[in-house]
Amino acid sequence: MKKNIVLIGFMGSGKTSVGKELAKSLNLKFVDLDTMIEAEEKRPISQIFSQDGEAYFRRIEKEMVRKVCPDRGLVIACGGGVVLDTENMQNLKQHGTLVYLKASPEVIFKRTEGYKHRPLLIVSDPKKRIEELLTLREPLYAQSDYTIDTTHLNIAQVTEQILKIFKK
Ligand code: S3P
């Protein structure tokens, strides 16, 4: 049976938009872990962070990974921090092929600027925060099976590149 396709990468790397396109093209089901967490918690992620903190969010995120992973034939868009947890990585790798959507800090800053729904970037210097978090996470993202540099690509072009991998 077909393994899942798991999209990982930093906030603003296009996981959700690309995931939807990809799922449509491959006739697979699309799931977005953040959306599922919000549905289960009945509140937006920004509110989960402000009311219960990041550690609580990470626990819920881990439970969602456990729940979703064993299914088959999914395109899964993960939150940018899913890679921070070793068990998440094991589960995602065991049940899926990991594709890292990479982007430069400058492009991530431009893509995320002005949006208020990402609590980790609501700081006085979001650009610096992006650089710091990327430096920490890059080795984790790099454990993926495939890496697509999305810095100069649009959603359709990224989707096309991933399709080439899976249509081989
Ligand atoms: C996070 C990324 C967000 C969301 C939460 C934490 C992170 O998802 O899960 O705000 O730690 O990078 P997106 O990557 O979809 O923005």
mmCIF file with all atom_site columns, all heavy atoms in Angstrom, residues 13-24:
data_model
loop_
_atom_site.group_PDB
_atom_site.id
_atom_site.type_symbol
_atom_site.label_atom_id
_atom_site.label_alt_id
_atom_site.label_comp_id
_atom_site.label_asym_id
_atom_site.label_entity_id
_atom_site.label_seq_id
_atom_site.pdbx_PDB_ins_code
_atom_site.Cartn_x
_atom_site.Cartn_y
_atom_site.Cartn_z
_atom_site.occupancy
_atom_site.B_iso_or_equiv
_atom_site.pdbx_formal_charge
_atom_site.auth_seq_id
_atom_site.auth_comp_id
_atom_site.auth_asym_id
_atom_site.auth_atom_id
_atom_site.pdbx_PDB_model_num
ATOM 1  N N   . SER A 1 13 ? 6.878  28.166 4.076  1.00 0.00 ? 13 SER A N   1
ATOM 2  C CA  . SER A 1 13 ? 7.577  27.466 2.980  1.00 0.00 ? 13 SER A CA  1
ATOM 3  C C   . SER A 1 13 ? 6.583  26.928 1.945  1.00 0.00 ? 13 SER A C   1
ATOM 4  O O   . SER A 1 13 ? 6.982  26.406 0.915  1.00 0.00 ? 13 SER A O   1
ATOM 5  C CB  . SER A 1 13 ? 8.460  26.335 3.528  1.00 0.00 ? 13 SER A CB  1
ATOM 6  O OG  . SER A 1 13 ? 7.676  25.402 4.237  1.00 0.00 ? 13 SER A OG  1
ATOM 7  N N   . GLY A 1 14 ? 5.292  27.029 2.218  1.00 0.00 ? 14 GLY A N   1
ATOM 8  C CA  . GLY A 1 14 ? 4.276  26.657 1.217  1.00 0.00 ? 14 GLY A CA  1
ATOM 9  C C   . GLY A 1 14 ? 3.701  25.257 1.388  1.00 0.00 ? 14 GLY A C   1
ATOM 10 O O   . GLY A 1 14 ? 3.050  24.739 0.482  1.00 0.00 ? 14 GLY A O   1
ATOM 11 N N   . LYS A 1 15 ? 3.896  24.654 2.573  1.00 0.00 ? 15 LYS A N   1
ATOM 12 C CA  . LYS A 1 15 ? 3.452  23.260 2.772  1.00 0.00 ? 15 LYS A CA  1
ATOM 13 C C   . LYS A 1 15 ? 1.950  23.070 2.509  1.00 0.00 ? 15 LYS A C   1
ATOM 14 O O   . LYS A 1 15 ? 1.559  22.116 1.841  1.00 0.00 ? 15 LYS A O   1
ATOM 15 C CB  . LYS A 1 15 ? 3.771  22.819 4.220  1.00 0.00 ? 15 LYS A CB  1
ATOM 16 C CG  . LYS A 1 15 ? 5.250  22.697 4.510  1.00 0.00 ? 15 LYS A CG  1
ATOM 17 C CD  . LYS A 1 15 ? 5.503  22.758 6.005  1.00 0.00 ? 15 LYS A CD  1
ATOM 18 C CE  . LYS A 1 15 ? 5.213  24.131 6.531  1.00 0.00 ? 15 LYS A CE  1
ATOM 19 N NZ  . LYS A 1 15 ? 5.363  24.329 7.954  1.00 0.00 ? 15 LYS A NZ  1
ATOM 20 N N   . THR A 1 16 ? 1.150  23.986 3.036  1.00 0.00 ? 16 THR A N   1
ATOM 21 C CA  . THR A 1 16 ? -0.305 23.827 2.881  1.00 0.00 ? 16 THR A CA  1
ATOM 22 C C   . THR A 1 16 ? -0.742 24.033 1.433  1.00 0.00 ? 16 THR A C   1
ATOM 23 O O   . THR A 1 16 ? -1.468 23.200 0.875  1.00 0.00 ? 16 THR A O   1
ATOM 24 C CB  . THR A 1 16 ? -1.055 24.803 3.825  1.00 0.00 ? 16 THR A CB  1
ATOM 25 O OG1 . THR A 1 16 ? -0.633 24.533 5.157  1.00 0.00 ? 16 THR A OG1 1
ATOM 26 C CG2 . THR A 1 16 ? -2.558 24.634 3.731  1.00 0.00 ? 16 THR A CG2 1
ATOM 27 N N   . SER A 1 17 ? -0.292 25.112 0.810  1.00 0.00 ? 17 SER A N   1
ATOM 28 C CA  . SER A 1 17 ? -0.708 25.397 -0.576 1.00 0.00 ? 17 SER A CA  1
ATOM 29 C C   . SER A 1 17 ? -0.213 24.313 -1.520 1.00 0.00 ? 17 SER A C   1
ATOM 30 O O   . SER A 1 17 ? -0.963 23.812 -2.372 1.00 0.00 ? 17 SER A O   1
ATOM 31 C CB  . SER A 1 17 ? -0.149 26.745 -1.031 1.00 0.00 ? 17 SER A CB  1
ATOM 32 O OG  . SER A 1 17 ? -0.439 27.726 -0.092 1.00 0.00 ? 17 SER A OG  1
ATOM 33 N N   . VAL A 1 18 ? 1.048  23.918 -1.364 1.00 0.00 ? 18 VAL A N   1
ATOM 34 C CA  . VAL A 1 18 ? 1.610  22.879 -2.223 1.00 0.00 ? 18 VAL A CA  1
ATOM 35 C C   . VAL A 1 18 ? 0.916  21.543 -1.952 1.00 0.00 ? 18 VAL A C   1
ATOM 36 O O   . VAL A 1 18 ? 0.564  20.805 -2.874 1.00 0.00 ? 18 VAL A O   1
ATOM 37 C CB  . VAL A 1 18 ? 3.145  22.749 -2.001 1.00 0.00 ? 18 VAL A CB  1
ATOM 38 C CG1 . VAL A 1 18 ? 3.701  21.506 -2.675 1.00 0.00 ? 18 VAL A CG1 1
ATOM 39 C CG2 . VAL A 1 18 ? 3.859  24.003 -2.494 1.00 0.00 ? 18 VAL A CG2 1
ATOM 40 N N   . GLY A 1 19 ? 0.691  21.254 -0.675 1.00 0.00 ? 19 GLY A N   1
ATOM 41 C CA  . GLY A 1 19 ? 0.057  19.994 -0.300 1.00 0.00 ? 19 GLY A CA  1
ATOM 42 C C   . GLY A 1 19 ? -1.306 19.820 -0.952 1.00 0.00 ? 19 GLY A C   1
ATOM 43 O O   . GLY A 1 19 ? -1.637 18.737 -1.447 1.00 0.00 ? 19 GLY A O   1
ATOM 44 N N   . LYS A 1 20 ? -2.096 20.889 -0.977 1.00 0.00 ? 20 LYS A N   1
ATOM 45 C CA  . LYS A 1 20 ? -3.434 20.818 -1.594 1.00 0.00 ? 20 LYS A CA  1
ATOM 46 C C   . LYS A 1 20 ? -3.318 20.519 -3.084 1.00 0.00 ? 20 LYS A C   1
ATOM 47 O O   . LYS A 1 20 ? -4.036 19.676 -3.608 1.00 0.00 ? 20 LYS A O   1
ATOM 48 C CB  . LYS A 1 20 ? -4.173 22.150 -1.392 1.00 0.00 ? 20 LYS A CB  1
ATOM 49 C CG  . LYS A 1 20 ? -4.706 22.322 0.006  1.00 0.00 ? 20 LYS A CG  1
ATOM 50 C CD  . LYS A 1 20 ? -5.452 23.641 0.145  1.00 0.00 ? 20 LYS A CD  1
ATOM 51 C CE  . LYS A 1 20 ? -5.899 23.839 1.589  1.00 0.00 ? 20 LYS A CE  1
ATOM 52 N NZ  . LYS A 1 20 ? -6.270 25.207 1.891  1.00 0.00 ? 20 LYS A NZ  1
ATOM 53 N N   . GLU A 1 21 ? -2.412 21.216 -3.754 1.00 0.00 ? 21 GLU A N   1
ATOM 54 C CA  . GLU A 1 21 ? -2.218 21.013 -5.202 1.00 0.00 ? 21 GLU A CA  1
ATOM 55 C C   . GLU A 1 21 ? -1.752 19.596 -5.506 1.00 0.00 ? 21 GLU A C   1
ATOM 56 O O   . GLU A 1 21 ? -2.207 18.929 -6.423 1.00 0.00 ? 21 GLU A O   1
ATOM 57 C CB  . GLU A 1 21 ? -1.145 21.988 -5.728 1.00 0.00 ? 21 GLU A CB  1
ATOM 58 C CG  . GLU A 1 21 ? -1.610 23.415 -5.832 1.00 0.00 ? 21 GLU A CG  1
ATOM 59 C CD  . GLU A 1 21 ? -2.692 23.587 -6.879 1.00 0.00 ? 21 GLU A CD  1
ATOM 60 O OE1 . GLU A 1 21 ? -2.457 23.150 -8.014 1.00 0.00 ? 21 GLU A OE1 1
ATOM 61 O OE2 . GLU A 1 21 ? -3.763 24.115 -6.551 1.00 0.00 ? 21 GLU A OE2 1
ATOM 62 N N   . LEU A 1 22 ? -0.799 19.168 -4.691 1.00 0.00 ? 22 LEU A N   1
ATOM 63 C CA  . LEU A 1 22 ? -0.197 17.853 -4.877 1.00 0.00 ? 22 LEU A CA  1
ATOM 64 C C   . LEU A 1 22 ? -1.231 16.744 -4.702 1.00 0.00 ? 22 LEU A C   1
ATOM 65 O O   . LEU A 1 22 ? -1.320 15.804 -5.505 1.00 0.00 ? 22 LEU A O   1
ATOM 66 C CB  . LEU A 1 22 ? 0.916  17.703 -3.832 1.00 0.00 ? 22 LEU A CB  1
ATOM 67 C CG  . LEU A 1 22 ? 1.893  16.564 -3.970 1.00 0.00 ? 22 LEU A CG  1
ATOM 68 C CD1 . LEU A 1 22 ? 2.682  16.705 -5.275 1.00 0.00 ? 22 LEU A CD1 1
ATOM 69 C CD2 . LEU A 1 22 ? 2.865  16.582 -2.784 1.00 0.00 ? 22 LEU A CD2 1
ATOM 70 N N   . ALA A 1 23 ? -2.019 16.877 -3.651 1.00 0.00 ? 23 ALA A N   1
ATOM 71 C CA  . ALA A 1 23 ? -3.049 15.870 -3.364 1.00 0.00 ? 23 ALA A CA  1
ATOM 72 C C   . ALA A 1 23 ? -4.046 15.799 -4.519 1.00 0.00 ? 23 ALA A C   1
ATOM 73 O O   . ALA A 1 23 ? -4.447 14.706 -4.941 1.00 0.00 ? 23 ALA A O   1
ATOM 74 C CB  . ALA A 1 23 ? -3.754 16.208 -2.054 1.00 0.00 ? 23 ALA A CB  1
ATOM 75 N N   . LYS A 1 24 ? -4.401 16.971 -5.053 1.00 0.00 ? 24 LYS A N   1
ATOM 76 C CA  . LYS A 1 24 ? -5.353 17.011 -6.167 1.00 0.00 ? 24 LYS A CA  1
ATOM 77 C C   . LYS A 1 24 ? -4.756 16.274 -7.369 1.00 0.00 ? 24 LYS A C   1
ATOM 78 O O   . LYS A 1 24 ? -5.389 15.422 -7.980 1.00 0.00 ? 24 LYS A O   1
ATOM 79 C CB  . LYS A 1 24 ? -5.644 18.474 -6.524 1.00 0.00 ? 24 LYS A CB  1
ATOM 80 C CG  . LYS A 1 24 ? -7.055 18.697 -7.022 1.00 0.00 ? 24 LYS A CG  1
ATOM 81 C CD  . LYS A 1 24 ? -7.256 20.070 -7.635 1.00 0.00 ? 24 LYS A CD  1
ATOM 82 C CE  . LYS A 1 24 ? -7.271 21.210 -6.635 1.00 0.00 ? 24 LYS A CE  1
ATOM 83 N NZ  . LYS A 1 24 ? -7.229 22.540 -7.285 1.00 0.00 ? 24 LYS A NZ  1
#
